Each structure stands twice: as structure tokens, then as C-alpha cells.
Amino acid sequence: MRLYSLASLMMMCLSLTACTDKFYIPIWNEKGTAKPLSKTDDVIRVVVPERLTKYIAKARSNDPDGYENGKKLADYIAMAKLNTEDRLQNLNYQLTDTGPHSGGDGKPKKIDWIDSQGNTQYAMTHGGKPTVFALVDSRLVNTYTQRFISNEPYSSDPSTGATTMWTNHVDEVTMNKVAIGIKLVRPIGEDNPLYQCNNSSLSINFCTFPDSYWLDTSHYETIFYGVGTMTTSASDPDYIENHLVSSVLYQYPNLLGKKRVIQISQPFFQVTKVTNDK
């Protein structure tokens, strides 16, 4: 997690909104048939769906719903990309074209992240031509309002201070269900479009992949495929994607199958338990 997002997380902690929350994140991870990922021989580029450009165009338009239908959805994808890079770097894999302005120039870049102890770690990415691509996508699956009812003291005995009457207090909270998908793939063919970084101002300078490639696997061999979902009242996309990425790639490449990852934010994310998700 980057330093700027850490500051926003600490502000949430001060307002007592997100620091002791427990999150249950269902994941489904499966191993592909391609050659496994190598920490010494492979260089990874994390790419996002071309659909991101539509969201940014929407956010920059005069549409009154531009934020909800544009910026918010774009932020989920952008933060999924950055957190995936952080997590892969933390796992000691080599990356290229990293950061918020990756651009696909193949040059080594400095990358930083916060480890589980709250310490900032630094490293240089490998740079150069990628051999493996991490296809990353994130979507808002559902939004709904949930009511929380609690009892509060209504009146008390003036002489003893003891509560004599109680009343119900109702809070309405907006809940978001967010899904993430991560595919590690090896492109087939030297002229594969994945090698082309189709970045632009509408992709926030991120390298993109054709949306059809998510389901059309004829262009690559799959090393790993993982998905996860999270339902939360948190509004910070970086906060949400950090939980999702760290769950899907938790103990990579060993955590496979249908699992339920339990995390606590305190304020640094920590996986406390993993169980089979039935």
C-alpha cells in the first residue's frame, strides 16, 4: 500500500470507521497449465481492461452521474492494479512498467509498499520487456442500503443515574460488494497485442488489454486465475482493493481452491484465518 493511501487510512482510523473491522472475503483460486511463475527468469507487467477508458471519459464528462458511473468504477480498477504490483513485489517477483504513471517504457522504477508491520519497504523494478502479464480487473457488483438498529439510553433516574427507558437508534449504511479478478498469463505469439502498451490519458497512462481477452483464452496460457469479493461500507477504493488483492494472492502460489479469508484492519491489514468456503 502506498504512502498516500496510508495517510487516508490513518484518517479513517482516527474517525473510528475502519480499524478494527473484520472482513470475510470469499476467494476462488486455481492453477493453470502454463509454466509456473519464476522469480528469477520472469518479468511481470500488470495491465488493466480497456474498459477503464470508458469510465474515465464518463468521469470527465458533464454527466451529473459521472462520479458514480465513472470515477468510482475507474478507481476500483486503478487501485487493483497498483495493489497487485505492491503484492507481487512483496512476494519478490520482478516487475516492469509499475506505478500510477507506468506508460510501458520498460524502464526500471522505484517502488514502495507498507509491510505487515507498518514499515515502508523499497525496491527497484526490473524493467525491460515483460514475459508474463497480470490481467487485473475489478467491478462493483452490487450496492444496497443496510439498516443497523441499536438500543440507546432514553432517560435516567436523576438520583442514581440508572437508565429507566431505552430507545432504538437506526443507522442506514451504504454497502458495496466489490469483486476482483487476477490472471497471470504467458502470451502466445511474438505479435500478441498484450505486448503493446495501449496507454493514453484515458487509461491514466496504464497499459491496457482488450476486454475480450478476459474470457478469450486463445491468446495466452494461464499460470494462475484468482477471484475474490468483499462486501463493505468502506468508501476508499484503495482500502477495499488492498484487502481483495492480499486475499487473492495470499500465500501465492500455495493457496488454491475455494476459500474464505478472514482479515482484520488494525490499521495494517492482517490475515487471521483461512477456512474452506462451502
Side-chain angles (χ1 to χ4, degrees), residues 147-154 166-172:
R147 302 181 74 198
F148 294 92
I149 301 176
S150 59
N151 288 326
E152 290 188 350
Y154 179 69
W166 295 79
T167 186
N168 287 337
H169 177 75
V170 179
D171 287 307
E172 290 194 350

CSV table of all heavy atoms in Angstrom, one decimal, residues 147-154 166-172:
chain,number,residue,atom,x,y,z
A,147,ARG,N,-29.7,-1.4,7.2
A,147,ARG,CA,-30.1,-0.7,8.4
A,147,ARG,C,-29.5,-1.4,9.7
A,147,ARG,O,-29.6,-2.6,9.8
A,147,ARG,CB,-31.6,-0.6,8.6
A,147,ARG,CG,-32.3,0.1,7.4
A,147,ARG,CD,-33.8,0.1,7.6
A,147,ARG,NE,-34.1,1.1,8.6
A,147,ARG,CZ,-35.3,1.1,9.3
A,147,ARG,NH1,-36.2,0.2,9.0
A,147,ARG,NH2,-35.6,2.0,10.1
A,148,PHE,N,-28.9,-0.7,10.5
A,148,PHE,CA,-28.4,-1.2,11.8
A,148,PHE,C,-29.2,-0.6,12.9
A,148,PHE,O,-29.2,0.7,13.1
A,148,PHE,CB,-26.9,-0.9,11.9
A,148,PHE,CG,-26.0,-1.5,10.9
A,148,PHE,CD1,-25.7,-0.9,9.7
A,148,PHE,CD2,-25.5,-2.8,11.2
A,148,PHE,CE1,-24.9,-1.5,8.8
A,148,PHE,CE2,-24.7,-3.4,10.2
A,148,PHE,CZ,-24.4,-2.8,9.0
A,149,ILE,N,-29.8,-1.4,13.8
A,149,ILE,CA,-30.6,-0.9,14.9
A,149,ILE,C,-29.9,-1.2,16.2
A,149,ILE,O,-29.4,-2.3,16.5
A,149,ILE,CB,-32.0,-1.6,14.9
A,149,ILE,CG1,-32.7,-1.3,13.5
A,149,ILE,CG2,-32.8,-1.1,16.1
A,149,ILE,CD1,-34.0,-2.0,13.4
A,150,SER,N,-29.7,-0.2,17.1
A,150,SER,CA,-29.1,-0.4,18.4
A,150,SER,C,-30.0,0.3,19.4
A,150,SER,O,-30.8,1.2,19.1
A,150,SER,CB,-27.7,0.2,18.4
A,150,SER,OG,-27.7,1.6,18.0
A,151,ASN,N,-29.8,-0.1,20.7
A,151,ASN,CA,-30.5,0.5,21.8
A,151,ASN,C,-29.7,1.6,22.4
A,151,ASN,O,-28.5,1.4,22.6
A,151,ASN,CB,-30.9,-0.6,22.9
A,151,ASN,CG,-32.0,-1.5,22.4
A,151,ASN,OD1,-32.9,-1.1,21.7
A,151,ASN,ND2,-31.9,-2.8,22.8
A,152,GLU,N,-30.3,2.7,22.7
A,152,GLU,CA,-29.6,3.8,23.4
A,152,GLU,C,-30.4,4.2,24.6
A,152,GLU,O,-31.7,4.2,24.6
A,152,GLU,CB,-29.4,5.0,22.4
A,152,GLU,CG,-28.4,4.7,21.3
A,152,GLU,CD,-28.2,6.0,20.5
A,152,GLU,OE1,-28.9,7.0,20.7
A,152,GLU,OE2,-27.2,6.0,19.7
A,153,PRO,N,-29.8,4.7,25.7
A,153,PRO,CA,-30.5,5.2,26.8
A,153,PRO,C,-31.4,6.4,26.4
A,153,PRO,O,-30.9,7.3,25.7
A,153,PRO,CB,-29.4,5.6,27.8
A,153,PRO,CG,-28.2,4.8,27.3
A,153,PRO,CD,-28.3,4.7,25.9
A,154,TYR,N,-32.6,6.4,26.9
A,154,TYR,CA,-33.5,7.5,26.6
A,154,TYR,C,-33.7,8.4,27.8
A,154,TYR,O,-33.8,9.6,27.6
A,154,TYR,CB,-34.8,6.9,26.1
A,154,TYR,CG,-35.9,7.9,25.8
A,154,TYR,CD1,-35.8,8.7,24.7
A,154,TYR,CD2,-37.0,8.0,26.6
A,154,TYR,CE1,-36.8,9.6,24.3
A,154,TYR,CE2,-38.0,9.0,26.3
A,154,TYR,CZ,-37.9,9.8,25.2
A,154,TYR,OH,-38.8,10.7,24.9
A,166,TRP,N,-35.2,3.0,27.4
A,166,TRP,CA,-34.3,2.8,26.2
A,166,TRP,C,-35.1,3.1,24.9
A,166,TRP,O,-36.3,3.0,24.9
A,166,TRP,CB,-33.8,1.4,26.1
A,166,TRP,CG,-32.9,1.0,27.3
A,166,TRP,CD1,-33.4,0.7,28.6
A,166,TRP,CD2,-31.5,1.0,27.3
A,166,TRP,NE1,-32.3,0.4,29.4
A,166,TRP,CE2,-31.1,0.6,28.6
A,166,TRP,CE3,-30.5,1.2,26.4
A,166,TRP,CZ2,-29.8,0.4,29.0
A,166,TRP,CZ3,-29.2,1.1,26.8
A,166,TRP,CH2,-28.9,0.7,28.1
A,167,THR,N,-34.4,3.5,23.9
A,167,THR,CA,-35.0,3.8,22.6
A,167,THR,C,-34.1,3.1,21.5
A,167,THR,O,-32.9,2.9,21.7
A,167,THR,CB,-35.1,5.3,22.3
A,167,THR,OG1,-35.9,5.5,21.1
A,167,THR,CG2,-33.8,5.9,22.2
A,168,ASN,N,-34.7,2.9,20.4
A,168,ASN,CA,-34.0,2.3,19.3
A,168,ASN,C,-33.3,3.4,18.4
A,168,ASN,O,-34.0,4.4,18.1
A,168,ASN,CB,-34.9,1.5,18.3
A,168,ASN,CG,-35.3,0.2,19.0
A,168,ASN,OD1,-34.6,-0.3,19.8
A,168,ASN,ND2,-36.4,-0.4,18.5
A,169,HIS,N,-32.1,3.2,18.1
A,169,HIS,CA,-31.4,4.1,17.2
A,169,HIS,C,-31.1,3.4,15.9
A,169,HIS,O,-30.6,2.3,15.9
A,169,HIS,CB,-30.1,4.6,17.8
A,169,HIS,CG,-29.3,5.5,16.9
A,169,HIS,ND1,-29.6,6.8,16.7
A,169,HIS,CD2,-28.1,5.3,16.2
A,169,HIS,CE1,-28.7,7.4,15.9
A,169,HIS,NE2,-27.8,6.5,15.5
A,170,VAL,N,-31.4,4.0,14.8
A,170,VAL,CA,-31.3,3.4,13.5
A,170,VAL,C,-30.3,4.1,12.6
A,170,VAL,O,-30.3,5.3,12.5
A,170,VAL,CB,-32.7,3.4,12.7
A,170,VAL,CG1,-32.5,2.7,11.3
A,170,VAL,CG2,-33.7,2.6,13.5
A,171,ASP,N,-29.3,3.4,12.1
A,171,ASP,CA,-28.3,3.9,11.2
A,171,ASP,C,-28.5,3.2,9.8
A,171,ASP,O,-28.6,2.0,9.8
A,171,ASP,CB,-26.9,3.7,11.7
A,171,ASP,CG,-26.5,4.6,12.8
A,171,ASP,OD1,-26.7,5.8,12.7
A,171,ASP,OD2,-26.1,4.0,13.9
A,172,GLU,N,-28.5,4.0,8.8
A,172,GLU,CA,-28.6,3.4,7.4
A,172,GLU,C,-27.2,3.6,6.8
A,172,GLU,O,-26.7,4.7,6.7
A,172,GLU,CB,-29.7,4.1,6.6
A,172,GLU,CG,-31.1,3.7,7.0
A,172,GLU,CD,-32.1,4.1,6.0
A,172,GLU,OE1,-31.8,4.9,5.1
A,172,GLU,OE2,-33.3,3.7,6.2
